[in-house]
Amino acid sequence: MALLNYSRVFSKTLNSKAVSRTLTPSFARLQIRSMATSEIKKIQIQRDDTTFDAYVVGKEDAPGIVVLQEWWGVDFEIKNHALKISKLDPGYKTLIPDLYRGKVGLDAAEAQHLMDGLDWQGAVKDIQASVNWLKANGSKKVGVTGYCMGGALAIASSVLVPEVDAAVAFYGVPPNELADPANIKVPVQAHFGELDNIVGFSDVKTAKALEEKLKASGKPYEVYIYPGVTHAFMNTSPEGVERRKNLGMIDQTEADPADEAWSRFQSWMNRYLSA
């Protein structure tokens, strides 16, 4: 699968009406309100001959975690995740690199367009620069986590970025031409939904194939598949739940796996990022 066409797996599986549906004005207002937080600080990071924006929150000199966006961009949900992670015991310093350079998709068609245009190798360089920024600013160890597109990039970073100390990926696997998970260099934990139908990216077959590759790597790994839930099950804010429903992502269980996934995430990062 060519990198330039990687996001097309989404258009084949998401409901075509949902992809073309534009979010209502009230939803857009909710999104803007959810993103407003005085705790998150905007910074700029230099890498090679370019500069990009990033968002930082959390304890100074704490272990660092780079938090990677979904295909939507740096929106309310990824900021929610970064803020939550920063407050997990014993406290983390989280950083979101803006891989889309300020652009955010407000519907699935726009998000797909943005993901189609992503320079994946350049995104890995952004992640490496973000990890190095955290290590230069007080974090002795730095992990990487991500969701959807960001999950795939988190795994890619565990292969391609030597400075990463651990990774946790949510429902995303990179194409082999970007990074083969069998070649991971650090401990990796991964989470998937049983009903996720994004074939070749985050469905159960892909999750199990990832598990075999992680096993072959010889590095510590964990792979979890949560019953009765679809893609993006970590997005539990009212806005995130509405957006999932708009895209036809209907869970078939009353159980909410997000709390269990967060607990596993916390245990993993605490284990491998402690000084």
Side-chain angles (χ1 to χ4, degrees), residues 22-120:
T22 301
L23 299 180
T24 62
S26 61
F27 186 91
R29 286 194 294 271
L30 283 170
Q31 182 186 46
I32 293 170
R33 186 167 65 248
S34 296
M35 288 178 66
T37 171
S38 59
E39 296 182 71
I40 297 178
K41 181 176 68 172
K42 184 176 179 180
I43 63 168
Q44 287 194 318
I45 294 177
Q46 182 78 30
R47 66 107 170 148
D48 299 330
D49 58 351
T50 187
T51 301
F52 60 92
D53 291 338
Y55 299 85
V56 181
V57 62
K59 290 172 57 177
E60 291 299 320
D61 300 326
I65 298 180
V66 176
V67 183
L68 302 173
Q69 67 199 50
E70 297 176 289
W71 69 333
W72 304 106
V74 180
D75 69 348
F76 65 94
E77 202 69 83
I78 203 66
K79 289 187 175 182
N80 287 344
H81 292 332
L83 189 59
K84 180 178 181 68
I85 292 168
S86 73
K87 296 180 178 181
L88 294 175
D89 186 59
Y92 289 97
K93 188 174 184 178
T94 59
L95 184 151
I96 310 168
D98 190 345
L99 304 180
Y100 286 167
R101 303 298 191 263
K103 296 178 180 178
V104 177
L106 292 181
D107 59 40
E110 187 176 4
Q112 181 185 322
H113 176 73
L114 289 169
M115 187 172 169
D116 278 342
L118 181 68
D119 173 3
W120 287 72

Side-chain angles (χ1 to χ4, degrees), residues 136-154:
N137 286 272
S139 297
K140 292 181 175 63
K141 291 188 176 182
V142 176
V144 177
T145 191
Y147 308 81
C148 181
M149 180 184 85
L153 283 167

Side-chain angles (χ1 to χ4, degrees), residues 113-133:
H113 176 73
L114 289 169
M115 187 172 169
D116 278 342
L118 181 68
D119 173 3
W120 287 72
Q121 288 90 350
V124 171
K125 291 181 179 179
D126 286 354
I127 296 164
Q128 184 170 29
S130 299
V131 172
N132 287 337
W133 186 94

